[in-house]
Amino acid sequence: MLCSKQLLFLLVACFFSAITALSISPGSTLYASDTNQTWPSPSNVFSLRFLPSQTPPTSPPSFIAAVVFSGGTPVVWSAGNGVIVDSHGSLQFLSSGVLRLVNGSGVAVWDSGTSNLGVSSASVNDDGNLILSNRTGVVWSSFDYPTDTIVPSQNFTTGMFLRSGEYSFTVTSSGNLTLRWNDSVPYWDRGLNSSINVNLTSPVLELQSIGILRLFDPNLVTPVDIAYSSDYAEANGTLRILKLDSDGNLRMYSSSRGSGISTVRWIAVEDQCKVFGYCGNYGVCSYKDLSPICGCPSENFEMIDPNDSRKGCKGKVRLEDCPGRAAMLQLDHALVLTYPPIFMVNPEVFFVGISACRGNCLAAGSCFASTSLSDGTGLCYIKTSSFISTYHNPELPSTSYVKVCGPVAPNPPPRLEEAGKGKDWEIHAWIISLAVLGTLLALIVFEGGLLLWCCRRGSRFRGFSTQYALLEYASGAPVQFSYKELQRSTKGFKEKLGDGGFGAVYRGILANRTVIAVKQLEGIEQGEKQFRMEVATISSTHHLNLVRLIGFCSEGKHRLLVYEFMKNGSLDNSLFVNESQSEKLLNWEYRFRIALGTARGITYLHEECRNCIVHCDIKPENILLDEHYNARVSDFGLAKLTSAPDHRNRSLTSVRGTRGYLAPEWLANLPATSKSDVYSFGMVLLEIVSGRRNFEISEGTKWKKFSIWAYEEFQKGNMKGILDKRLVNHEVDMEGVKRAIMVSFWCIQEQPYQRPIMSKVVQMLEGVTQIEMPPAPKCVTEGSVIANPTTAEEAPLFASSSSSQIV
């Protein structure tokens, strides 16, 4: 008994000594000269330390005291929002309970303001929160004084600000997220959905650890999701932060522990040039190779700092010192940034023509610039603030005017040749012209001869071209077919194999007797170049369980894809057969092999090919069967072809899908990820086991959606009740059936992070990985049961009306 008490005492003593070791006692000091010295969190996930204020370090070096993630990146909080000290500076935890940042000269440049509060300890928590505590609890927290970053579990409320230079971010009392320049110009605003008509009382913004930016309020029935990181619900152990960068943009980053690397996963202002003041006063923002660059409006201006173009420009002669008359500098395809809150307070927008827009500003002493829109609205923006932020883009339908001291000196056009080479060009111009004309003439003669030769040989040449094309296909390159050739191969598109979500599919035969499947694409918004790039990506994707793309056609409005032909058609034709088609019935061995092959094909798309491909439409119709009944996934990569291209950001929030297979996040119009495909596969897997549609409702399922009823039967241990009744007289591996059913329920979990990745699905189906008991889908726990219809004929009506609640 005595030994037990002594052991307990030792354990308690060790526990409290461990806590004390992690606590920071008054009198402790961090020195800027030693960047390896840290005050760590219990699990060493975060630490308080000194870091060089810039990368590469300045000379002489300067430092900031900051809480950083494992590996030194990212910084989640800094003392005084990045106040710098020299190498002799220090961060002192004084006996008075104050945390103080001191420069090398001994001058305090920041402190926590916690004197006389009885502070006895400081610590860094594993969530990144730096706290000061007394005997009763926490009296100061870095989470209450954010700098430029929010981390998961940190509540960001009204009255709090993120700041970076002249930029700030806040949440208004109405729940709007707002970015401002100089605390006066709001240039980005993200509010609640218009369908949410609620008066908020105390909105709180929180970044979820899985990468969702979410707004809470007591008056909201459910929290509102504001934004998603592109990797949300993926990569466990990843830190996600929301950071206001020095360029005025709000971004969400992901960082793996110990990597020291942060990756952008979401950005508030997609067009960086629309960030007010990005290029400083009178600076003009434009793009070069997709990167924003800053310049001056004309040679009437000069850069304030030639080494930093973002500091803006100044007039070589100030308007108030102008000896002559002021003039208006014209900037084509330019927009002087003005935001609605400005001209709502001081009306600065008029309905006038372009000449009046220019003339009115020139005549008004309070006007410094104006913009006339050429988009049919007739709007003219007058800028009365002396801070001018301009955006230039060749696609902008606007003309801007900036008041300068005349005469106007426009910027010279870009030079096409290097200095000193103009004279050589003039001397040899006639030689180059002669060479170009000669080359063109030779090409014309060659093309004419080739055309004549082709016309004389007709069908022989067409056969030869097809043979050559197939040799090109054998080498792995996508073959380009003419529309007439495919029209001829399909006999005028007569033999239709089926209709898919992306267009009809026809059977065809090439000149060398190769059987093909030709898909006529519909709703293609891609340009020629982008279409060819996507086709190249699809054709470079090779796997035993994927349908191979042979070639394509792109002529005018015609967009067609040519695939290898699958003899046994799509899975639905063999899975959902009636009793009169019993010869087509798939036995369990074939079904399990098809399920496993499909899972392997999707795994390759998600995890093994060069770029992750989210299919977006996994269903039995897109699972084809070859002559040996091997599963081949089709239509992968087509979602990108039917979504509008954006050279800066692309998301899959409006892709096509099929009722019954859509993941819950799609039904809520949220971004689709590879986990959305996992959900669709889970529904298909349940159909493979049961031989019936997942949304089927009948008396046999007690008028419940089949997947809901199946889970209830699974809980009872009734696996044979879920299995296709037509297999009752066949030899069936019930252990494999149980494994497939459990995997399907894991795949159709409502939350994406609860679903396994596809490689894990393959392992579970193979029996390599033990399968835990799957939790009930949310709709089951909430009792999503279809009301009992009075007759069986009414059931389909109930099914379609509930389709938006499918999980």
Side-chain angles (χ1 to χ4, degrees):
M1 183 69 178
L2 182 61
C3 291
S4 299
K5 288 183 177 179
Q6 289 176 337
L7 180 60
L8 178 62
F9 175 79
L10 287 173
L11 288 173
V12 172
C14 291
F15 172 75
F16 279 104
S17 64
I19 295 178
T20 306
L22 294 175
S23 298
I24 305 161
S25 303
S28 301
T29 302
L30 283 175
Y31 296 98
S33 58
D34 185 3
T35 55
N36 292 321
Q37 183 188 8
T38 67
W39 290 342
S41 67
S43 299
N44 205 26
V45 178
F46 291 91
S47 61
L48 179 61
R49 62 197 301 179
F50 275 99
L51 295 173
S53 63
Q54 293 185 17
T55 303
T58 57
S59 182
S62 56
F63 302 87
I64 61 171
V67 175
V68 299
F69 186 51
S70 172
T73 301
V75 173
V76 300
W77 180 87
S78 59
N81 202 358
V83 173
I84 62 173
V85 297
D86 56 30
S87 58
H88 299 289
S90 60
L91 183 66
Q92 306 168 355
F93 184 28
L94 305 180
S95 58
S96 61
V98 173
L99 195 62
R100 177 176 294 171
L101 183 63
V102 179
N103 209 332
S105 61
V107 177
V109 292
W110 173 84
D111 72 56
S112 59
T114 51
S115 59
N116 303 320
L117 295 179
V119 173
S120 57
S121 67
S123 62
V124 179
N125 293 344
D126 277 335
D127 58 5
N129 193 10
L130 170 63
I131 61 174
L132 303 180
S133 307
N134 59 17
R135 291 183 178 181
T136 60
V138 177
V139 299
W140 183 93
S141 163
S142 64
F143 277 9
D144 294 332
Y145 300 92
T147 52
D148 60 3
T149 301
I150 300 173
V151 298
S153 74
Q154 179 177 359
N155 290 335
F156 190 75
T157 62
T158 56
M160 291 183 176
F161 291 88
L162 296 186
R163 294 191 181 277
S164 183
E166 295 180 309
Y167 298 101
S168 62
F169 169 73
T170 188
V171 177
T172 66
S173 58
S174 63
N176 281 19
L177 280 60
T178 305
L179 287 171
R180 295 175 182 265
W181 173 84
N182 201 27
D183 288 333
S184 60
V185 180
Y187 55 89
W188 181 81
D189 189 88
R190 175 68 61 84
L192 299 179
N193 190 297
S194 59
S195 63
I196 303 175
N197 187 18
V198 177
N199 292 323
L200 305 186
T201 57
S202 52
V204 176
L205 185 69
E206 185 177 307
L207 176 62
Q208 305 289 296
S209 60
I210 62 174
I212 303 176
L213 197 60
R214 185 166 287 172
L215 190 71
F216 295 83
D217 188 87
N219 289 346
L220 288 172
V221 178
T222 57
V224 176
D225 294 339
I226 302 295
Y228 287 75
S229 67
S230 60
D231 65 342
Y232 86 101
E234 297 181 7
N236 293 333
T238 296
L239 173 72
R240 295 176 176 88
I241 65 168
L242 186 71
K243 181 179 177 64
L244 177 60
D245 287 317
S246 60
D247 60 7
N249 221 328
L250 186 70
R251 295 179 176 89
M252 203 183 298
Y253 291 90
S254 292
S255 181
S256 299
R257 184 171 180 177
S259 68
I261 299 173
S262 296
T263 305
V264 177
R265 298 299 185 182
W266 173 81
I267 185 168
V269 186
E270 294 183 7
D271 194 333
Q272 182 61 43
C273 281
K274 290 184 179 179
V275 172
F276 190 86
Y278 174 75
C279 288
N281 195 15
Y282 281 103
V284 179
C285 183
S286 58
Y287 285 94
K288 182 179 182 181
D289 299 330
L290 302 183
S291 298
I293 57 173
C294 298
C296 292
S298 73
E299 291 192 344
N300 296 89
F301 297 86
E302 60 185 0
M303 287 192 174
I304 293 175
D305 184 355
N307 297 319
D308 187 356
S309 60
R310 283 199 54 207
K311 290 187 177 179
C313 306
K314 62 180 179 180
K316 293 179 180 178
V317 179
R318 299 191 306 169
L319 286 173
E320 52 268 34
D321 298 333
C322 185
R325 297 181 58 185
M328 298 303 287
L329 168 69
Q330 179 173 324
L331 301 174
D332 295 325
H333 306 294
L335 184 69
V336 173
L337 297 182
T338 304
Y339 294 89
I342 297 177
F343 59 73
M344 284 173 65
V345 179
N346 299 308
E348 296 176 344
V349 60
F350 304 92
F351 293 93
V352 297
I354 186 169
S355 298
C357 190
R358 172 187 177 277
N360 291 348
C361 183
L362 180 61
S366 60
C367 180
F368 292 90
S370 63
T371 293
S372 177
L373 299 185
S374 304
D375 57 359
T377 62
L379 289 178
C380 168
Y381 294 97
I382 299 295
K383 191 73 172 178
T384 57
S385 168
S386 60
F387 192 97
I388 309 298
S389 180
T390 307
Y391 174 25
H392 174 266
N393 189 316
E395 297 180 359
L396 286 176
S398 57
T399 302
S400 291
Y401 301 93
V402 177
K403 189 179 290 185
V404 298
C405 180
V408 172
N411 285 325
R415 302 185 64 180
L416 298 178
E417 66 279 335
E418 296 178 7
K421 292 187 178 181
K423 188 174 180 180
D424 292 339
W425 168 260
E426 292 175 3
I427 293 173
H428 302 293
W430 66 273
I431 299 176
I432 296 174
S433 299
L434 186 62
V436 170
L437 288 173
T439 303
L440 288 174
L441 183 61
L443 284 173
I444 291 172
V445 172
F446 174 77
E447 292 287 348
L450 185 61
L451 181 61
L452 182 62
W453 184 78
C454 291
C455 291
R456 288 181 176 179
R457 280 154 180 78
S459 61
R460 282 186 60 194
F461 178 74
R462 285 193 297 271
F464 173 76
S465 66
T466 304
Q467 295 285 353
Y468 180 80
L470 289 177
L471 285 174
E472 185 182 4
Y473 159 64
S475 69
V479 178
Q480 182 173 0
F481 295 91
S482 69
Y483 181 73
K484 285 186 177 181
E485 187 173 359
L486 294 182
Q487 195 175 35
R488 184 171 56 252
S489 299
T490 58
K491 296 181 180 179
F493 301 101
K494 286 184 177 180
E495 188 177 345
K496 182 184 285 190
L497 297 175
D499 287 297
F502 301 97
V505 183
Y506 300 88
R507 185 177 185 273
I509 302 177
L510 294 178
N512 68 341
R513 311 311 298 168
T514 300
V515 183
I516 56 174
V518 180
K519 180 182 286 289
Q520 283 187 324
L521 298 177
E522 300 172 355
I524 300 301
E525 301 177 16
Q526 308 283 24
E528 177 73 16
K529 181 178 179 181
Q530 187 67 28
F531 176 78
R532 289 174 180 268
M533 288 175 60
E534 299 295 353
V535 167
T537 300
I538 296 172
S539 67
S540 65
T541 307
H542 304 294
H543 189 270
L544 179 64
N545 296 111
L546 298 179
V547 176
R548 188 173 181 185
L549 178 68
I550 297 176
F552 69 100
C553 171
S554 179
E555 289 183 10
K557 65 179 181 179
H558 300 296
R559 296 283 193 278
L560 300 96
L561 297 179
V562 180
Y563 291 98
E564 57 182 336
F565 180 76
M566 294 291 108
K567 182 178 180 180
N568 285 307
S570 56
L571 174 60
D572 61 303
N573 291 329
S574 299
L575 196 58
F576 309 120
V577 296
N578 54 43
E579 294 181 2
S580 62
Q581 298 173 303
S582 57
E583 72 281 355
K584 286 187 175 182
L585 183 66
L586 294 171
N587 62 29
W588 174 250
E589 183 182 353
Y590 274 128
R591 295 188 189 208
F592 190 80
R593 191 171 71 185
I594 290 169
L596 190 57
T598 303
R600 287 169 175 163
I602 302 172
T603 299
Y604 178 80
L605 294 175
H606 288 183
E607 305 172 36
E608 298 171 9
C609 63
R610 184 171 54 184
N611 298 312
C612 172
I613 296 177
V614 181
H615 190 291
C616 299
D617 200 15
I618 300 291
K619 58 184 178 181
E621 288 79 359
N622 286 333
I623 299 171
L624 306 185
L625 307 176
D626 65 14
E627 58 184 350
H628 302 295
Y629 284 91
N630 294 310
R632 309 284 285 273
V633 179
S634 69
D635 277 12
F636 56 90
L638 298 191
K640 288 187 177 181
L641 288 175
T642 55
S643 59
D646 186 339
H647 68 284
R648 262 183 286 275
N649 196 11
R650 174 185 289 168
S651 64
L652 295 175
T653 57
S654 301
V655 294
R656 299 184 181 186
T658 303
R659 183 178 73 89
Y661 306 93
L662 293 176
E665 56 266 27
W666 283 19
L667 298 174
N669 198 30
L670 302 177
T673 68
S674 57
K675 291 297 183 70
S676 305
D677 282 351
V678 176
Y679 182 93
S680 301
F681 174 78
M683 285 299 188
V684 172
L685 183 56
L686 195 58
E687 292 180 331
I688 291 174
V689 174
S690 65
R692 64 175 87 183
R693 291 289 188 183
N694 71 77
F695 48 81
E696 181 178 323
I697 297 173
S698 65
E699 187 176 0
T701 62
K702 300 178 182 178
W703 304 114
K704 302 175 185 178
K705 180 171 168 285
F706 179 75
S707 57
I708 298 174
W709 174 84
Y711 188 85
E712 294 176 352
E713 295 302 306
F714 165 73
Q715 287 183 309
K716 299 174 185 176
N718 184 19
M719 303 302 165
K720 288 187 177 180
I722 302 172
L723 183 65
D724 192 337
K725 291 180 173 54
R726 294 169 297 182
L727 297 180
V728 67
N729 296 323
H730 293 69
E731 184 178 348
V732 177
D733 175 17
M734 291 307 299
E735 186 61 35
V737 171
K738 180 180 179 181
R739 205 159 57 238
I741 292 173
M742 293 179 72
V743 171
S744 71
F745 288 129
W746 271 114
C747 290
I748 63 173
Q749 292 298 307
E750 184 194 37
Q751 298 299 331
Y753 66 86
Q754 289 183 293
R755 304 170 203 155
I757 60 176
M758 285 305 301
S759 58
K760 183 83 171 213
V761 169
V762 171
Q763 292 174 2
M764 289 192 292
L765 286 174
E766 291 175 334
V768 175
T769 300
Q770 184 176 358
I771 309 174
E772 298 180 2
M773 179 71 176
K778 184 177 179 182
C779 61
V780 176
T781 60
E782 292 181 351
S784 296
V785 180
I786 304 301
N788 288 331
T790 56
T791 64
E793 286 77 18
E794 294 177 26
L797 297 177
F798 287 89
S800 61
S801 66
S802 65
S803 61
S804 62
Q805 300 177 12
I806 292 173
V807 174

